[in-house]
Amino acid sequence: MSETRSVKQGVAAGTSIGAAIIMVTVGIIQFCQGIAAVAENEVFVAGVDYVYKFDLTTWGWIHIVLGALVAAVGLALVTGAGWARVTAIVIAAISILANFLWLPYYPWWSLLIIGLDIVVIWAVSTWKPDRV
């Protein structure tokens, strides 16, 4: 039974480092995506109208701020900071929400980021550093 837990913790620890790297990468790409939305409104094509519609410039600034936060927390998570684990879960949940609302503009990218954020939340929440 102890070996099974150790293996699970090893996978969770490895995935947590992977999650930190994913967070840095996703943060940088979201930041660039936000710059594209702010700089040139014609880059993205808006689909059908829906309830949560914002101006593309507003969405751009949301992605710039969120991207910077995701990347910063990802870097902190690599260092193993305790506060970064809780913050990573919260920021990944916010990223899921933002990308869900961003679906009409960039659906495949949004679904990919939502999936990666779920992996981040799982990895960070199941990893217990004191049990490795």
Side-chain angles (χ1 to χ4, degrees), residues 51-66:
V51 176
Y52 307 107
K53 184 175 181 178
F54 288 132
D55 180 52
L56 278 174
T57 304
T58 304
W59 274 117
W61 282 108
I62 289 170
H63 281 288
I64 287 171
V65 171
L66 188 58

Side-chain angles (χ1 to χ4, degrees), residues 18-97:
I21 294 167
I22 288 171
M23 285 185 76
V24 171
T25 305
V26 166
I28 291 169
I29 292 173
Q30 273 192 334
F31 185 83
C32 293
Q33 180 180 347
I35 290 174
V38 168
E40 192 66 41
N41 282 344
E42 289 82 27
V43 172
F44 299 101
V45 177
V48 294
D49 288 339
Y50 69 114
V51 176
Y52 307 107
K53 184 175 181 178
F54 288 132
D55 180 52
L56 278 174
T57 304
T58 304
W59 274 117
W61 282 108
I62 289 170
H63 281 288
I64 287 171
V65 171
L66 188 58
L69 285 173
V70 169
V73 172
L75 287 173
L77 195 58
V78 169
T79 66
W83 62 267
R85 293 182 63 216
V86 173
T87 308
I89 292 169
V90 171
I91 292 294
I94 292 170
S95 177
I96 287 172
L97 179 63

Side-chain angles (χ1 to χ4, degrees), residues 64-129:
I64 287 171
V65 171
L66 188 58
L69 285 173
V70 169
V73 172
L75 287 173
L77 195 58
V78 169
T79 66
W83 62 267
R85 293 182 63 216
V86 173
T87 308
I89 292 169
V90 171
I91 292 294
I94 292 170
S95 177
I96 287 172
L97 179 63
N99 280 287
F100 174 76
L101 298 175
W102 179 250
L103 272 170
Y105 296 99
Y106 214 170
W108 291 108
W109 176 253
S110 295
L111 290 174
L112 174 68
I113 297 303
I114 289 169
L116 291 173
D117 285 334
I118 290 170
V119 170
V120 167
I121 290 171
W122 173 84
V124 173
S125 63
T126 58
W127 179 38
K128 296 176 179 77

